[in-house]
Amino acid sequence: MSRVVLVAESGADLPPEVTERYGIRVVPMHVSFGTESRDDGSFPPEEICAYYQRTGVLPQTSASMPEDFRRVFDEIRAGEPEVPILHLAYSAVTTCSFQSARAAAEGMDEVISLDTKVASAGQSAVVMRTARLLEEHPDWGVGEAVPAAEDLIRRCRMCFIPDTLEFLRAGGRVSNATALCGRLLGIHPLIEFVDGALRATRKLRGRMERLAPELVRAYIQENELERDELWLIETPGLAEEIRRGAESAARACGVGTVRWIKTGGVITAHGGPGAFGVAGFAARVPAK
């Protein structure tokens, strides 16, 4: 019977217990602290925040390179030469990892890359659901796994709100004036993945303690998310009060399972400390 090995970048922020259970292989993305480049996932993400506080310089992130993918692909094939490989990729609009995987797979049979068009908890949700389907259907090969993953990608929704605009300013994504106004007025941009790209779709005003549960309720309702499972995102420093409020709001909406995703170095470098987000799947459109 066929089986499929799933591959994702470290920027998916997959929990270690999930990768171990399902045999998911993780390809490192990279973070540069000055002249030192380190693999994402090889250090606590709190080091991103500490480095910026100490130096005033934001660590720079970079994609997985072809050699990173080739090393993982070769390791998989060394143990199981015939196994199909399904790479569920970090949004191709935001990084070159997708192209790196394709370059690494040249000359290799049955290595398929799909652009999930999301990252972090959104990508994690797609990978986890696909892994669960493969576990439930041990006779599946890529012929079944690919359309199932594509359906999940079409229905995946993800957003987040940074607690501070300082990291976005340091990374050149917003101006000094915007960051200053955001801090003074308590403005937080709602950032969503739209066709794979990060878009600030609206501005929210207030404290995160209030905004997080409001966002959970609104995002579930506006996107008609499935209620059986919801993914909540936290970067280092998210207050326990905010976690409790967000999870309570999810439960009140009828969510059965709440899964917290802690961001690694790449996502922390973009979102900054204390950021919060939501990911889930829109309900299937009824067949006519």
Side-chain angles (χ1 to χ4, degrees):
M1 293 191 295
S2 299
R3 63 183 292 267
V4 179
V5 173
L6 299 180
V7 173
E9 296 89 344
S10 60
D13 297 327
L14 285 158
E17 63 272 18
V18 171
T19 60
E20 182 177 350
R21 172 178 173 177
Y22 296 109
I24 301 165
R25 299 301 302 271
V26 177
V27 181
M29 301 176 83
H30 308 284
V31 181
S32 295
F33 295 81
T35 59
E36 179 190 11
S37 180
R38 302 167 68 182
D39 287 351
D40 182 27
S42 68
F43 59 89
E46 287 80 3
E47 290 190 23
I48 297 282
C49 306
Y51 183 87
Y52 179 73
Q53 289 175 350
R54 186 172 67 252
T55 67
V57 177
L58 183 65
Q60 299 299 301
T61 63
S62 58
S64 303
M65 295 291 101
E67 54 266 30
D68 296 315
F69 281 101
R70 174 62 75 170
R71 181 168 55 253
V72 171
F73 293 163
D74 286 346
E75 289 173 357
I76 294 170
R77 286 292 165 78
E80 300 176 90
E82 305 300 324
V83 68
I85 297 171
L86 177 56
H87 167 220
L88 297 173
Y90 193 104
S91 174
V93 173
T94 63
T95 180
C96 66
S97 288
F98 181 75
Q99 289 77 12
S100 291
R102 286 191 160 185
E106 288 182 4
M108 301 180 72
D109 294 330
E110 287 205 284
V111 179
I112 299 170
S113 287
L114 297 179
D115 178 7
T116 67
K117 300 185 178 181
V118 282
S120 189
Q123 185 184 4
S124 191
V126 171
V127 175
M128 290 168 68
R129 278 282 184 92
T130 303
R132 193 180 308 158
L133 287 169
L134 287 168
E135 182 180 65
E136 293 169 354
H137 303 278
D139 57 327
W140 274 17
V142 290
E144 295 80 19
V146 167
E150 289 174 334
D151 172 65
L152 292 170
I153 291 168
R154 282 191 294 270
R155 296 190 294 113
C156 189
R157 306 289 184 268
M158 176 184 156
C159 70
F160 73 95
I161 47 177
D163 183 43
T164 172
L165 298 180
E166 184 62 20
F167 273 45
L168 294 175
R169 182 205 61 77
R173 296 176 180 87
V174 300
S175 68
N176 289 337
T178 298
L180 177 61
C181 289
R183 183 168 64 249
L184 293 176
L185 300 176
I187 294 174
H188 306 265
L190 175 64
I191 300 174
E192 298 184 74
F193 276 95
V194 180
D195 293 328
L198 289 166
R199 298 279 186 264
T201 56
R202 70 186 79 167
K203 293 179 180 179
L204 306 177
R205 186 171 179 176
R207 295 175 57 84
M208 289 287 283
E209 289 84 355
R210 176 177 63 82
L211 293 180
E214 287 182 356
L215 178 61
V216 169
R217 289 188 290 267
Y219 208 67
I220 289 173
Q221 295 168 3
E222 292 171 5
N223 292 279
E224 298 182 353
L225 297 183
E226 294 176 347
R227 308 298 173 95
D228 60 328
E229 193 170 24
L230 191 72
W231 286 258
L232 300 181
I233 309 160
E234 60 173 323
T235 63
L238 186 71
E240 182 60 31
E241 179 184 356
I242 298 172
R243 294 179 87 260
R244 288 196 302 268
E247 187 162 341
S248 177
R251 301 291 187 193
C253 289
V255 173
T257 300
V258 175
R259 299 191 184 278
W260 281 95
I261 297 295
K262 296 182 178 180
T263 63
V266 166
I267 303 301
T268 299
H270 295 302
F276 170 78
V278 182
F281 294 100
R284 296 180 185 275
V285 178
K288 294 182 180 180

